[in-house]
Amino acid sequence: SGYFWLGGTFVRPDRVTGSVAAMDPATGKKAGQLSLPYAVYSGVTSTAGGVLFTTTLDGTIYALDDETMKPLWSFNTGSLSSAPPMTYSVNGKQYVAVLIGGSTIAQGVLSKAPETKDIQNTSMLYVFSL
Protein backbone atom coordinates (compact mmCIF):
# COMPACT_ATOMS: atom_id res chain seq x y z
CA SER A 1 0.00 0.00 0.00
CA GLY A 2 1.03 3.64 -0.25
CA TYR A 3 0.17 6.92 -1.85
CA PHE A 4 -0.64 6.78 -5.57
CA TRP A 5 1.76 9.66 -6.35
CA LEU A 6 4.59 7.67 -4.69
CA GLY A 7 3.95 4.62 -6.83
CA GLY A 8 1.86 2.73 -4.27
CA THR A 9 -1.66 1.39 -4.51
CA PHE A 10 -4.51 0.78 -2.13
CA VAL A 11 -6.34 -2.54 -2.02
CA ARG A 12 -9.57 -2.90 -0.09
CA PRO A 13 -9.40 -6.24 1.72
CA ASP A 14 -13.14 -6.48 2.34
CA ARG A 15 -16.45 -5.28 0.98
CA VAL A 16 -17.23 -1.68 2.00
CA THR A 17 -20.64 -1.20 3.63
CA GLY A 18 -22.26 1.83 5.21
CA SER A 19 -24.60 3.01 7.90
CA VAL A 20 -26.63 6.01 9.00
CA ALA A 21 -26.96 6.84 12.68
CA ALA A 22 -29.11 9.29 14.64
CA MET A 23 -27.59 10.92 17.71
CA ASP A 24 -29.41 12.57 20.62
CA PRO A 25 -27.65 15.95 20.96
CA ALA A 26 -28.78 16.32 24.59
CA THR A 27 -27.20 13.06 25.77
CA GLY A 28 -24.66 12.34 23.04
CA LYS A 29 -26.04 8.80 22.79
CA LYS A 30 -26.97 6.98 19.62
CA ALA A 31 -30.75 7.04 19.12
CA GLY A 32 -30.89 4.71 16.11
CA GLN A 33 -28.80 3.20 13.35
CA LEU A 34 -29.38 1.55 9.99
CA SER A 35 -26.71 -0.66 8.40
CA LEU A 36 -26.65 -0.50 4.61
CA PRO A 37 -25.18 -2.94 2.05
CA TYR A 38 -23.09 -0.24 0.32
CA ALA A 39 -21.06 2.76 1.48
CA VAL A 40 -22.67 6.16 2.01
CA TYR A 41 -20.56 8.95 0.47
CA SER A 42 -23.47 11.35 -0.05
CA GLY A 43 -24.19 12.58 3.45
CA VAL A 44 -27.73 12.99 4.77
CA THR A 45 -30.42 15.63 4.27
CA SER A 46 -33.21 16.02 6.82
CA THR A 47 -36.67 17.54 6.57
CA ALA A 48 -38.87 19.21 9.17
CA GLY A 49 -41.36 16.38 8.57
CA GLY A 50 -39.12 13.81 10.26
CA VAL A 51 -37.67 12.21 7.12
CA LEU A 52 -33.99 11.78 6.26
CA PHE A 53 -32.70 11.23 2.73
CA THR A 54 -29.41 9.61 1.76
CA THR A 55 -27.96 7.51 -1.04
CA THR A 56 -25.57 4.58 -1.21
CA LEU A 57 -22.82 4.21 -3.81
CA ASP A 58 -24.84 1.67 -5.79
CA GLY A 59 -27.36 4.44 -6.54
CA THR A 60 -30.09 3.57 -4.07
CA ILE A 61 -31.94 6.57 -2.63
CA TYR A 62 -33.35 6.03 0.87
CA ALA A 63 -36.01 7.90 2.83
CA LEU A 64 -35.62 7.11 6.54
CA ASP A 65 -37.59 7.88 9.69
CA ASP A 66 -35.42 10.40 11.55
CA GLU A 67 -35.97 8.79 14.95
CA THR A 68 -35.81 5.07 14.25
CA MET A 69 -33.69 5.08 11.06
CA LYS A 70 -36.17 2.59 9.58
CA PRO A 71 -36.51 2.83 5.80
CA LEU A 72 -39.78 4.42 4.68
CA TRP A 73 -38.99 4.13 0.98
CA SER A 74 -36.10 3.33 -1.35
CA PHE A 75 -35.44 3.56 -5.06
CA ASN A 76 -32.47 2.21 -7.02
CA THR A 77 -31.44 4.53 -9.84
CA GLY A 78 -29.17 2.01 -11.57
CA SER A 79 -26.10 4.25 -11.47
CA LEU A 80 -23.43 5.43 -9.03
CA SER A 81 -24.21 8.00 -6.36
CA SER A 82 -22.14 10.19 -4.06
CA ALA A 83 -23.87 13.60 -4.21
CA PRO A 84 -25.95 14.76 -1.25
CA PRO A 85 -29.74 14.86 -1.59
CA MET A 86 -31.22 18.34 -1.38
CA THR A 87 -34.70 19.65 -0.67
CA TYR A 88 -36.54 22.75 -1.84
CA SER A 89 -40.07 24.11 -2.04
CA VAL A 90 -42.06 25.62 -4.90
CA ASN A 91 -45.49 27.14 -4.27
CA GLY A 92 -45.75 25.30 -0.94
CA LYS A 93 -44.87 21.87 -2.39
CA GLN A 94 -41.66 20.26 -1.10
CA TYR A 95 -39.29 18.34 -3.38
CA VAL A 96 -36.18 16.22 -2.90
CA ALA A 97 -33.57 16.21 -5.67
CA VAL A 98 -30.59 13.86 -6.00
CA LEU A 99 -27.83 14.10 -8.59
CA ILE A 100 -26.81 10.60 -9.68
CA GLY A 101 -23.59 9.59 -11.42
CA GLY A 102 -20.19 11.06 -11.94
CA SER A 103 -18.36 9.29 -9.11
CA THR A 104 -15.30 7.39 -10.27
CA ILE A 105 -14.32 6.81 -6.61
CA ALA A 106 -17.45 4.68 -6.23
CA GLN A 107 -16.26 2.12 -8.75
CA GLY A 108 -13.16 1.36 -6.67
CA VAL A 109 -15.14 1.17 -3.44
CA LEU A 110 -17.63 -1.21 -5.07
CA SER A 111 -14.89 -3.50 -6.43
CA LYS A 112 -15.58 -6.12 -3.73
CA ALA A 113 -19.31 -6.16 -4.60
CA PRO A 114 -19.44 -8.36 -7.72
CA GLU A 115 -23.14 -7.68 -8.26
CA THR A 116 -22.26 -4.06 -9.13
CA LYS A 117 -19.58 -4.84 -11.74
CA ASP A 118 -21.85 -3.86 -14.65
CA ILE A 119 -23.25 -0.68 -13.08
CA GLN A 120 -23.16 2.22 -15.55
CA ASN A 121 -21.89 5.66 -14.58
CA THR A 122 -24.46 8.09 -15.94
CA SER A 123 -25.48 11.59 -14.94
CA MET A 124 -29.12 12.16 -14.07
CA LEU A 125 -31.10 14.35 -11.73
CA TYR A 126 -33.95 12.61 -9.89
CA VAL A 127 -36.62 14.80 -8.30
CA PHE A 128 -39.35 13.49 -5.99
CA SER A 129 -42.25 15.40 -4.43
CA LEU A 130 -43.22 14.93 -0.81
Side-chain angles (χ1 to χ4, degrees):
S1 67
Y3 296 108
F4 287 109
W5 56 87
L6 296 177
T9 61
F10 180 79
V11 177
R12 297 182 193 286
D14 299 313
R15 181 184 181 122
V16 179
T17 60
S19 68
V20 177
M23 303 297 290
D24 183 335
T27 65
K29 296 190 189 277
K30 190 184 323 180
Q33 183 170 352
L34 173 66
S35 295
L36 297 165
Y38 302 100
V40 176
Y41 276 31
S42 65
V44 178
T45 298
S46 62
T47 67
V51 180
L52 302 177
F53 291 91
T54 192
T55 67
T56 50
L57 287 181
D58 75 319
T60 303
I61 302 169
Y62 290 91
L64 310 172
D65 180 278
D66 72 351
E67 292 182 10
T68 65
M69 296 295 108
K70 291 190 178 177
L72 303 172
W73 173 86
S74 67
F75 176 78
N76 188 286
T77 64
S79 187
L80 305 172
S81 176
S82 62
M86 60 155 301
T87 182
Y88 62 94
S89 179
V90 176
N91 296 327
K93 182 95 173 149
Q94 188 173 8
Y95 299 88
V96 173
V98 183
L99 181 62
I100 298 296
S103 176
T104 56
I105 294 170
Q107 292 169 321
V109 174
L110 293 172
S111 65
K112 298 290 182 181
E115 69 277 11
T116 65
K117 72 178 174 53
D118 292 328
I119 198 167
Q120 298 296 309
N121 191 3
T122 60
S123 293
M124 294 179 279
L125 179 65
Y126 284 84
V127 179
F128 304 92
S129 67
L130 301 182

